[in-house]
Amino acid sequence: MAKGLGRGLDAFFPAIEKQEEDAIQEIAITECRPNPYQPRKTFHADAIEELKESILEYGIIQPLIVRESIKGYEIVVGERRFRAAKEAGLETVPVVVKELTDEKMMELALLENLQREDLTPIEEAHAYANLMHELKVTQEELSRRLGKSRSHIANIVRLLSLPDQVTAYINNGELSMGHGRALLGLKDKDKVIPLVNKIRRQKLNVRQVEQLIIQLNDKPMVKKEKPKKDIFLQERESVLRDRLGTGVNIHRGKQKGKIEIEFYSDDDLERIIGVLEKQ
């Protein structure tokens, strides 16, 4: 699993730090609703259960950050605590109310997910990519703000260029980040899925995969050449093209052949049929 970020939310939003006027208040849990810009759609039940037990024993140590809306309060940071508090049967939760735009809510939701220490490599990659897109920052700028090396961010984000099927396996733990990075080095991208199937079938480790990829990359890629048409067919095609005034292709099989005549509109089709009827 990926580790949390090197810095906190204040690396992006110093204003999120508590100020003197930021009073912690208790509000009814029924007044809270999830962040509509929450990028994480799956909350693992076992993690929520573990947090619920902690809340029942120690209470909610860190207040949620919310913003006031027409219908109560929207959770900006702390949705897991909110869900666990509901499971624990709490009637109220401690919050700090902030005035934030939709854009800031989206950014903070992304950052909170990056703060978590149980992100998969793919979740971390999506979070970095989303931050760069939403905040219009480069990998270099992001690395400085988060205290992560630029190479770490670049290597993680590159995983997103793998086929969706492969990133799904990395996301659910069937393949590791090391497997993913090795697969990025495969030159013939058509061989990625067959190789992944072999990895899963034979339980290959990263080192074995790297050796396989070296062997596959050393093999020259064989390009299938189209068989050349004999002179007779080429001449017949030329005669038909001249008579019909359009593209013609003749294909000869083992037992039968076919003639393809191109047309570009209904009128063009009628014209060609007219020429054939005259013949």
Side-chain angles (χ1 to χ4, degrees):
M1 293 296 183
K3 297 299 182 185
L5 293 181
R7 299 179 186 172
L9 297 179
D10 57 309
F12 276 88
F13 308 107
I16 204 67
E17 290 294 286
K18 288 185 181 179
Q19 301 171 357
E20 292 182 4
E21 64 271 20
D22 288 339
I24 297 176
Q25 52 186 293
E26 292 281 335
I27 63 172
I29 203 166
T30 55
E31 290 291 304
C32 299
R33 61 190 183 95
N35 184 346
Y37 306 108
Q38 170 64 255
R40 180 181 285 274
K41 304 302 180 186
T42 302
F43 291 83
H44 298 294
D46 54 347
I48 298 296
E49 179 65 22
E50 184 179 342
L51 186 54
K52 182 194 81 171
E53 295 300 324
S54 174
I55 288 173
L56 285 171
E57 185 172 356
Y58 303 106
I60 299 178
I61 298 172
Q62 187 178 7
L64 286 64
I65 296 174
V66 301
R67 76 168 181 179
E68 195 167 2
S69 65
I70 298 174
K71 298 179 180 179
Y73 298 87
E74 291 176 333
I75 299 168
V76 181
V77 174
E79 187 167 338
R80 285 201 306 162
R81 275 166 277 158
F82 163 71
R83 289 171 179 259
K86 285 182 68 177
E87 291 291 326
L90 299 189
E91 294 184 356
T92 64
V93 287
V95 304
V96 172
V97 182
K98 292 282 187 179
E99 291 185 9
L100 298 168
T101 63
D102 288 352
E103 181 182 4
K104 286 290 187 283
M105 280 193 71
M106 186 182 299
E107 293 164 0
L108 283 171
L110 290 172
L111 282 165
E112 186 201 14
N113 279 282
L114 281 174
Q115 288 284 344
R116 297 179 59 183
E117 295 185 354
D118 59 346
L119 288 175
T120 70
I122 299 303
E123 288 172 336
E124 187 178 357
H126 277 299
Y128 289 145
N130 288 338
L131 278 172
M132 287 186 286
H133 174 72
E134 296 297 335
L135 302 182
K136 304 296 188 295
V137 295
T138 63
Q139 288 184 356
E140 188 68 36
E141 291 170 321
L142 191 65
S143 70
R144 286 198 301 269
R145 293 188 181 193
L146 303 181
K148 291 281 186 179
S149 69
R150 192 200 63 78
S151 60
H152 171 78
I153 292 175
N155 287 332
I156 287 282
V157 172
R158 283 184 66 213
L159 294 175
L160 299 180
S161 64
L162 291 168
D164 291 344
Q165 184 179 344
V166 180
T167 59
Y169 290 143
I170 297 174
N171 212 35
N172 65 23
E174 290 188 60
L175 297 180
S176 69
M177 177 181 169
H179 285 115
R181 290 183 63 178
L183 290 167
L184 289 168
L186 187 58
K187 293 178 182 178
D188 188 350
K189 302 308 177 185
D190 291 336
K191 294 181 179 179
V192 170
I193 297 300
L195 178 55
V196 165
N197 292 335
K198 183 175 182 177
I199 294 169
R200 296 175 66 233
R201 186 171 58 251
Q202 299 182 12
K203 308 295 184 185
L204 301 180
N205 60 36
V206 175
R207 182 59 181 164
Q208 291 171 316
V209 174
E210 290 173 342
Q211 291 297 322
L212 268 176
I213 288 174
I214 290 173
Q215 296 172 17
L216 290 170
N217 286 343
D218 285 342
K219 292 181 180 179
M221 294 175 64
V222 179
K223 293 184 177 179
K224 294 182 179 179
E225 295 185 1
K226 293 182 179 179
K228 293 182 179 180
K229 291 181 180 178
D230 59 43
I231 296 177
F232 172 77
L233 289 184
Q234 292 181 38
E235 289 179 347
R236 296 300 93 193
E237 284 179 345
S238 179
V239 170
L240 286 173
R241 276 196 295 268
D242 290 342
R243 290 183 179 179
L244 300 177
T246 189
V248 176
N249 283 293
I250 302 175
H251 303 278
R252 174 185 285 161
K254 291 183 179 180
Q255 296 181 346
K256 62 180 180 179
K258 63 179 179 180
I259 300 174
E260 293 180 349
I261 302 172
E262 297 177 355
F263 65 93
Y264 304 96
S265 65
D266 290 346
D267 290 340
D268 194 32
L269 176 59
E270 292 299 325
R271 179 190 63 79
I272 294 171
I273 291 173
V275 173
L276 290 173
E277 287 176 341
K278 289 180 182 177
Q279 298 298 322

